[in-house]
Amino acid sequence: MKRDINGVTVECVQGDIAGQRDVAAVVNAANAELMPGGGVAGAIHRTAGPGLAEECRPLAPIHPGEAVITGGHNLPNRHVIHTLGPVYGQDRPEADLLANCYRNSLNLADEHEIESVAFPAISTGIFGYPVEDAAEVALRTVLEETERLRNVRLVRFVLHGERDLQVHERVLSALA
Ligand code: AR6
């Protein structure tokens, strides 16, 4: 499903974040060290190849809510934006830190004149953030930011599972 807000298309699809051929940048649900891990980080680094970890090394460590940008290496995307989500129940206040991930990633994309960005559901895997609450924070933040964006014209949420897709679609259609 899609919505057009302030000239920016916000959409939710089911799929693999490492297989988004038609977007300029993908966002990595990174670890602080910006090294390959499980989940999204594993898929992105596996597809990108070892050059990505090499480019990341001098940029680490990052803090919850922060975002940094690299090239896409062997991914089909020009850029990867790496952001560190909060560990649920540990990094607080978690909603503010999660909102910072989306806000800082979008601002970084906009500064680099990137027109299309795909996000995974940051923090909802290994970091344990309940998907309903995370979707609310993520989509609300993206919708708020559309007003300030000058270059980004497409924001895609790529959800791994059918249920996560349904949750995001429900939240996206309910937000004012
Ligand atoms: N494409 C899209 N979504 C995916 C994919 C994929 N290929 N794989 C998993 N997901 P996670 P986090 C979903 O754990 O919670 C890493 O090891 C997954 O179902 O990747 O922010 C890092 O190194 C979940 O809904 O990210 C960090 O240490 C969501 O993406 C830590 O995990 C996020 O899951 C980050 O944890």
Side-chain angles (χ1 to χ4, degrees):
M1 85 163 276
K2 296 183 185 207
R3 275 186 69 179
D4 245 309
I5 299 119
N6 296 317
V8 180
T9 301
V10 180
E11 65 180 13
C12 300
V13 305
Q14 193 176 354
D16 177 4
I17 193 74
Q20 303 299 307
R21 309 208 141 269
D22 57 342
V23 294
V26 288
V27 177
N28 183 15
N31 48 64
E33 298 307 321
L34 302 175
M35 285 298 116
V40 166
I44 284 182
H45 278 273
R46 220 169 15 254
T47 308
L52 180 61
E54 230 167 89
E55 190 185 352
C56 281
R57 196 164 289 119
L59 305 175
I62 63 168
H63 305 290
E66 207 182 324
V68 295
I69 190 165
T70 65
H73 297 264
N74 296 332
L75 283 159
N77 320 98
R78 279 205 312 280
H79 299 282
V80 180
I81 294 170
H82 308 259
T83 189
L84 176 63
V87 176
Y88 193 75
Q90 185 177 311
D91 298 317
R92 293 198 172 93
E94 54 246 342
D96 291 348
L97 294 171
L98 187 61
N100 289 346
C101 289
Y102 287 92
R103 195 175 298 120
N104 289 330
S105 296
L106 284 175
N107 289 338
L108 204 48
D110 214 50
E111 281 165 22
H112 284 77
E113 302 188 346
I114 287 167
E115 67 284 357
S116 50
V117 186
F119 282 96
I122 294 160
S123 283
T124 67
I126 292 165
F127 284 177
Y129 210 122
V131 68
E132 290 80 4
D133 297 345
E136 185 86 32
V137 171
L139 285 157
R140 190 181 294 285
T141 305
V142 169
L143 262 52
E144 280 169 11
E145 288 302 308
T146 55
E147 214 175 307
R148 280 183 279 280
L149 296 171
R150 292 290 160 265
N151 296 301
V152 175
R153 284 294 163 263
L154 171 71
V155 179
R156 178 181 295 161
F157 281 81
V158 180
L159 293 321
H160 214 33
E162 170 74 24
R163 187 180 163 267
D164 289 350
L165 174 66
Q166 285 168 1
V167 168
H168 282 74
E169 287 184 337
R170 194 168 59 235
V171 172
L172 178 57
S173 58
L175 279 174

